[in-house]
Amino acid sequence: MWARNIAEIFKSSQSEEEVEGEEALMYLARRYKGLTVNACAHAIFFCRLLHALRPSKTEKAFPGSLADNCGLKVGIIGGGHLGKQLAQVLLTLSWTPCCSIRISTKRPESLAELQEQGVGCFYDNAQLVAWADVVFLCCLPSQVLTVCSVIRPAIRKPCLVYSLVTAVPLRRLKQLLSYSAIVRPQYQCCGREPINEWRSTGTVTAALQDPAVVQATCPCSSQGKIRVNTKWLVACFYAALNSSMWQRLPHQKALKLLNDLCFPEHCPICAEEKTSCPRFVCESFVSKTFASSMAQEETFPWFDLTAAQLRESPFSQLLEGSAAVRSHLARLYLGAFGDWPREQRGLASTDTALTSAAVEPGVMVDHKTLFSATAAEISSKKMEETTDNDSK
């Protein structure tokens, strides 16, 4: 009798452990999916922001521009799960045509579906980096040393490196590549509660066609269960200015492009609050001393993106101090997954003044309205998203 009771207790305990194990696996699966969804969503926004500061097919290239065409060329190193999902998302949900996406992987034959859609798939990391405007690293941490040693001699400005490699810090990547134009998002999973909004079944592309999922990935929100560090958004805008600099675009025109994109005329946010939109000025991105020395037709300098993510900058102070700017950028982010009107980024002159007044050091907004807010409580931790295992 005693032995039978012990056996029943052990059997009951074993069942509970199995249930707990299954729940843990389901949670990890949802977190895995959530990290992949966030990584792909943020990559879309990054590419669309860069594309917004390039001349359209109907616009003439800027004098002296080194941009050889209007399309942004996107390279992906790694054709595993993340690399394939990223390529498919860019094809389906962004402006990127198939001819502007190439993947370098050790097994290009495994990407037949993408090849059928017109994506170039091969195995030559150096060739990919020499061609691309943006290169996404989607390899395993154990492969980073080999990958960097191969692409280091081939990488040149204005190519931007966007790392989705876990466990390899930004400083280490800069050291391995001897290059500063690197963007590395860091993700924090908040709490142990279930993550249900990522659609654990189905593709990442399908998930990002759900407005609720897109909202959950917004970098300006503090409500998401998976959050990206605020310095990632800072790096995105400095990367866009690097792109404008390489095209020899005068800084005033670069500011106008960003202002038209982020703070459009008849903005619903400002109409509802009956306020004036904030405006970007030189001091939003560079120090007052440097801004005062810039000539009218001078470009922005080439920014060290690693420094922008590791230290405070005028733009990080702007995001921290202005709730209005954050709300406008949130609207811009959500619009990246729908209709992002080309006319918002035209170069035609307007009567809108670029003069602004300082709210706090490094924070410049429209002279008609002053905004202030506390800092968003988003901390930086090690990136936890998955990476691919078939690149080298």
Side-chain angles (χ1 to χ4, degrees):
M1 181 69 177
W2 179 81
R4 186 177 66 182
N5 289 341
I6 290 295
E8 288 175 355
I9 292 172
F10 180 76
K11 182 178 179 181
S12 174
S13 175
Q14 192 175 35
S15 298
E16 290 175 1
E17 289 178 355
E18 288 176 354
V19 170
E20 290 178 359
E22 290 177 1
E23 289 178 351
L25 287 174
M26 289 299 295
Y27 170 80
L28 290 174
R30 288 192 296 267
R31 191 174 73 167
Y32 171 93
K33 179 66 173 292
L35 288 165
T36 304
V37 169
N38 274 266
C40 290
H42 298 152
I44 286 178
F45 176 78
F46 180 75
C47 288
R48 295 206 70 175
L49 182 63
L50 293 181
H51 184 69
L53 265 69
R54 298 175 72 88
S56 70
K57 293 180 180 179
T58 59
E59 295 168 352
K60 293 182 179 180
F62 305 113
S65 170
L66 296 181
D68 56 3
N69 57 52
C70 300
L72 188 71
K73 296 175 289 187
V74 179
I76 300 172
I77 294 180
H81 177 76
L82 182 56
K84 286 188 287 189
Q85 294 276 16
L86 177 58
Q88 191 60 60
V89 161
L90 289 172
L91 279 172
T92 307
L93 301 180
S94 77
W95 49 266
T96 314
C98 59
C99 61
S100 294
I101 302 176
R102 296 180 185 178
I103 302 178
S104 176
T105 175
K106 289 192 295 185
R107 296 188 298 113
E109 68 279 1
S110 67
L111 305 179
E113 185 176 344
L114 288 171
Q115 289 177 318
E116 290 173 0
Q117 297 179 71
V119 176
C121 302
F122 52 86
Y123 180 40
D124 191 330
N125 293 337
Q127 177 186 330
L128 183 77
V129 167
W131 167 83
D133 297 311
V134 181
V135 173
F136 289 92
L137 297 183
C138 300
C139 57
L140 286 172
S142 60
Q143 299 166 332
V144 167
L145 185 61
T146 301
V147 169
C148 289
S149 66
V150 170
I151 69 176
R152 178 174 172 172
I155 196 167
R156 295 286 186 277
K157 294 179 181 179
C159 181
L160 298 167
V161 177
Y162 192 111
S163 177
L164 291 172
V165 180
T166 185
V168 181
L170 191 59
R171 286 188 177 91
R172 178 59 172 159
L173 287 171
K174 181 178 182 179
Q175 180 186 43
L176 290 174
L177 292 173
S178 295
Y179 197 61
S180 66
I182 305 171
V183 177
R184 182 181 182 270
Q186 297 182 68
Y187 293 98
Q188 176 189 5
C189 294
C190 305
R192 180 65 171 76
E193 70 273 18
I195 303 175
N196 298 317
E197 61 261 41
W198 310 118
R199 290 191 172 187
S200 54
T201 60
T203 66
V204 173
T205 301
L208 287 176
Q209 291 175 311
D210 183 342
V213 173
V214 174
Q215 178 70 53
T217 68
C218 182
C220 299
S221 171
S222 60
Q223 304 302 316
K225 294 186 178 70
I226 296 178
R227 303 175 191 172
V228 68
N229 59 319
T230 53
K231 293 296 181 67
W232 169 80
L233 190 58
V234 171
C236 287
F237 276 82
Y238 279 118
L241 292 180
N242 279 353
S243 178
S244 74
M245 172 267 177
W246 205 252
Q247 297 174 75
R248 308 280 179 86
L249 184 63
H251 71 277
Q252 291 291 353
K253 289 188 177 180
L255 286 170
K256 182 182 178 342
L257 287 177
L258 285 179
N259 281 323
D260 288 347
L261 188 67
C262 301
F263 315 116
E265 192 177 357
H266 310 303
C267 171
I269 296 175
C270 296
E272 181 179 347
E273 297 179 358
K274 297 181 179 180
T275 59
S276 299
C277 281
R279 305 291 292 177
F280 290 139
V281 294
C282 285
E283 291 90 339
S284 301
F285 302 99
V286 298
S287 68
K288 291 182 180 180
T289 302
F290 188 90
S292 64
S293 68
M294 295 180 70
Q296 187 75 16
E297 295 300 310
E298 188 176 349
T299 68
F300 276 109
W302 179 266
F303 294 101
D304 183 331
L305 301 186
T306 59
Q309 294 165 86
L310 296 171
R311 300 196 294 267
E312 291 302 315
S313 64
F315 191 59
S316 68
Q317 293 174 356
L318 173 59
L319 286 182
E320 181 179 341
S322 176
V325 170
R326 293 198 300 272
S327 64
H328 281 79
L329 296 189
R331 178 179 178 273
L332 178 69
Y333 176 84
L334 298 178
F337 298 85
D339 183 21
W340 205 350
R342 184 76 176 186
E343 55 269 20
Q344 285 189 5
R345 53 169 295 281
L347 286 174
S349 61
T350 67
D351 296 330
T352 304
L354 291 174
T355 57
S356 302
V359 181
E360 296 178 6
V363 180
M364 303 295 293
V365 296
D366 184 75
H367 66 285
K368 297 179 182 179
T369 310
L370 304 182
F371 301 92
S372 63
T374 58
E377 298 177 351
I378 301 177
S379 61
S380 300
K381 289 187 178 181
K382 285 186 177 181
M383 188 178 180
E384 300 182 54
E385 88 293 342
T386 185
T387 53
D388 301 325
N389 57 13
D390 68 341
S391 63
K392 184 175 180 181

